Amino acid sequence: MYCLQLPQLQSQAKDIWYRALRACPWAKELYLIGFEKMGAMLPFSELKSTWRIMGEKELRVHVDLEERFEDMVELEKQAREQRSLGYR
């Protein structure tokens, strides 16, 4: 994605990606860009909902990530608890 290569456009990359998904909801490659190129920019919850939408649209997803998502939610919960207790 061109926007990711230019520092001044990186902040707009997420909006452009969502706009592309709305315009071409059948294009599996567009969804994968979010996971491959923008994974660090997107919060976990958005990646999770994107994966679920891919399944709803019957885009072939060969990996069942549901268990991984549950593990990640649990890890995030533990990290929040530790921060609230004063751990880093």
Side-chain angles (χ1 to χ4, degrees):
M1 194 169 175
Y2 179 73
C3 296
L4 295 173
Q5 297 174 359
L6 298 174
Q8 63 268 28
L9 296 179
Q10 285 181 354
S11 63
Q12 299 173 352
K14 181 177 163 182
D15 294 332
I16 293 169
W17 179 63
Y18 278 124
R19 193 173 345 146
L21 290 178
R22 283 190 300 274
C24 304
W26 62 87
K28 182 177 179 178
E29 293 81 14
L30 289 176
Y31 289 92
L32 296 179
I33 287 173
F35 290 97
E36 294 173 350
K37 308 259 187 214
M38 298 175 45
M41 296 173 62
L42 297 170
F44 169 71
S45 60
E46 289 184 36
L47 289 173
K48 183 178 177 180
S49 67
T50 300
W51 179 81
R52 286 195 173 143
I53 289 170
M54 289 176 70
E56 290 172 7
K57 294 192 178 296
E58 297 182 2
L59 297 173
R60 295 178 65 191
V61 180
H62 297 284
V63 180
D64 185 15
L65 298 176
E66 201 62 43
E67 287 181 22
R68 300 280 181 156
F69 288 150
E70 291 171 5
D71 294 342
M72 292 178 80
V73 167
E74 185 63 32
L75 288 172
E76 284 182 345
K77 187 186 303 183
Q78 290 174 0
R80 278 194 303 271
E81 290 172 1
Q82 288 178 352
R83 281 194 301 269
S84 69
L85 294 173
Y87 296 110
R88 290 184 177 212

